Amino acid sequence: MNVPFLPTLSTFFIVLSAILVAIGWKLILNRKIEAHKKTMLAAAVSAVLFFIIYVSRTIFIGNTAFGGPENLKIYYTVFLIFHIALSTTGAVMGVLTINWGLKDKLDKHRRIGPITSVVWFFTAITGVAVYLLLYVLYESGETTSMIKAILGI
């Protein structure tokens, strides 16, 4: 098995962010507010590192197509669309949740925080599933550079 470095690294950061969110959740339940704040900010940094690696790889190297059986491609595609919608929702919710926490709008922060955490856990789980489907369970499909596709070179 030959797993590519950048997708593995980006997947590591998204998993790390989910683990840190879980730790942060436990900390706030134990009323350890400063530790919660630091842990959640570390989770956000980890998520941003994932995003930077993912976007950089997409722009400069490209996206990897599903290389599994043709009869599973439609299911993979639907699953991927679900993951993308979930991750986009989770990212927006995360920005709002962190912003409200840092601005001491704690009523809003407390209402959305648990929901954001759950959405982020599912984002991480589905992200790992996409990684496994693309690089571990099946032979990777073709990788096409976004720049090459746009410029036609």
Side-chain angles (χ1 to χ4, degrees), residues 85-124:
L86 191 65
S87 62
T88 303
T89 302
V92 170
M93 290 177 75
V95 168
L96 290 172
T97 304
I98 291 168
N99 185 43
W100 289 334
L102 292 174
K103 290 187 175 185
D104 284 330
K105 296 182 178 182
L106 299 181
D107 55 328
K108 291 180 179 182
H109 179 80
R110 286 183 187 119
R111 263 186 277 140
I112 195 174
I115 299 165
T116 303
S117 297
V118 170
V119 170
W120 201 249
F121 295 141
F122 281 105
T123 296

Side-chain angles (χ1 to χ4, degrees), residues 34-148:
E34 279 306 307
H36 165 77
K37 184 177 180 179
K38 289 176 184 174
T39 303
M40 293 309 226
L41 288 173
V45 168
S46 182
V48 168
L49 287 172
F50 155 80
F51 187 70
I52 290 168
I53 294 166
Y54 174 78
V55 168
S56 298
R57 182 178 183 279
T58 298
I59 291 170
F60 296 111
I61 298 171
N63 285 322
T64 302
F66 179 65
E70 193 63 33
N71 65 323
L72 295 181
K73 188 173 183 175
I74 186 66
Y75 300 109
Y76 169 79
T77 302
V78 169
F79 184 77
L80 180 63
I81 291 167
F82 172 73
H83 168 69
I84 291 168
L86 191 65
S87 62
T88 303
T89 302
V92 170
M93 290 177 75
V95 168
L96 290 172
T97 304
I98 291 168
N99 185 43
W100 289 334
L102 292 174
K103 290 187 175 185
D104 284 330
K105 296 182 178 182
L106 299 181
D107 55 328
K108 291 180 179 182
H109 179 80
R110 286 183 187 119
R111 263 186 277 140
I112 195 174
I115 299 165
T116 303
S117 297
V118 170
V119 170
W120 201 249
F121 295 141
F122 281 105
T123 296
I125 291 166
T126 59
V128 170
V130 168
Y131 171 82
L132 292 173
L133 289 165
L134 284 179
Y135 304 108
V136 177
L137 298 176
Y138 300 107
E139 186 88 18
S140 295
E142 180 184 358
T143 299
T144 305
S145 170
M146 181 185 286
I147 291 176
K148 285 181 184 177

